[in-house]
Amino acid sequence: QVQLVESGGGLVQAGGSLRLSCAPSGRTSRSYAMGWFRQAPGKEREFVAAISWSGGSTAYADSVKGRFTISRDNAKNTVYLQMNSLKPEDTAVYYCATKGWVRDTVWTREYEYEYWGQGTQVTVSS
């Protein structure tokens, strides 16, 4: 019922920036938490960032803290991931995830999410 479409991925040089967007559709709840995860070749899918449904709380993986910023615009029904100071280690497929009808907090575990996007490739060259 809920579909997520990510956009904004691409190829950038180290130190550059990218802004990912995720636009959910077919929603049945106004209170939906959002999260970003990524999967690099040969590695497990890992948590990147999360935001509560109101936008009042955020959480980040240690590996991206200080460089990435998650935000949301509920009027546009869109969540963003601003990625600055990108490193080659950030190269991965990035996935947007959501879970509706939740309390206003952040969710950082894969099993806590119900719907997932198709993923968008981010490649950072040195």
Side-chain angles (χ1 to χ4, degrees):
Q1 184 175 44
V2 176
Q3 297 185 13
L4 303 174
V5 180
E6 301 108 328
S7 62
L11 173 64
V12 297
Q13 60 182 342
S17 299
L18 282 175
R19 188 193 192 195
L20 305 183
S21 299
C22 177
S25 63
R27 307 202 65 80
T28 60
S29 173
R30 296 179 63 184
S31 56
Y32 59 98
M34 302 292 297
W36 287 96
F37 295 78
R38 67 186 182 185
Q39 193 274 322
K43 296 186 177 180
E44 299 179 333
R45 185 159 61 180
E46 64 179 355
F47 166 75
V48 176
I51 189 167
S52 60
W53 67 261
S54 71
S57 299
T58 59
Y60 299 92
D62 289 340
S63 59
V64 306
K65 213 164 191 174
R67 300 187 296 118
F68 291 10
T69 302
I70 188 171
S71 62
R72 67 190 302 161
D73 186 340
N74 288 348
K76 296 181 179 180
N77 198 32
T78 303
V79 63
Y80 306 96
L81 183 67
Q82 178 66 47
M83 306 186 296
N84 298 326
S85 301
L86 283 163
K87 307 174 181 179
E89 307 91 90
D90 295 318
T91 296
V93 177
Y94 284 70
Y95 298 90
C96 176
T98 188
K99 173 68 175 179
W101 298 103
V102 298
R103 56 188 175 90
D104 195 16
T105 188
V106 292
W107 307 83
T108 62
R109 301 175 180 86
E110 291 185 45
Y111 66 80
E112 294 173 328
Y113 288 88
E114 185 174 6
Y115 301 101
W116 295 80
Q118 81 288 346
T120 185
Q121 177 70 47
V122 172
T123 302
V124 184
S125 61
S126 59

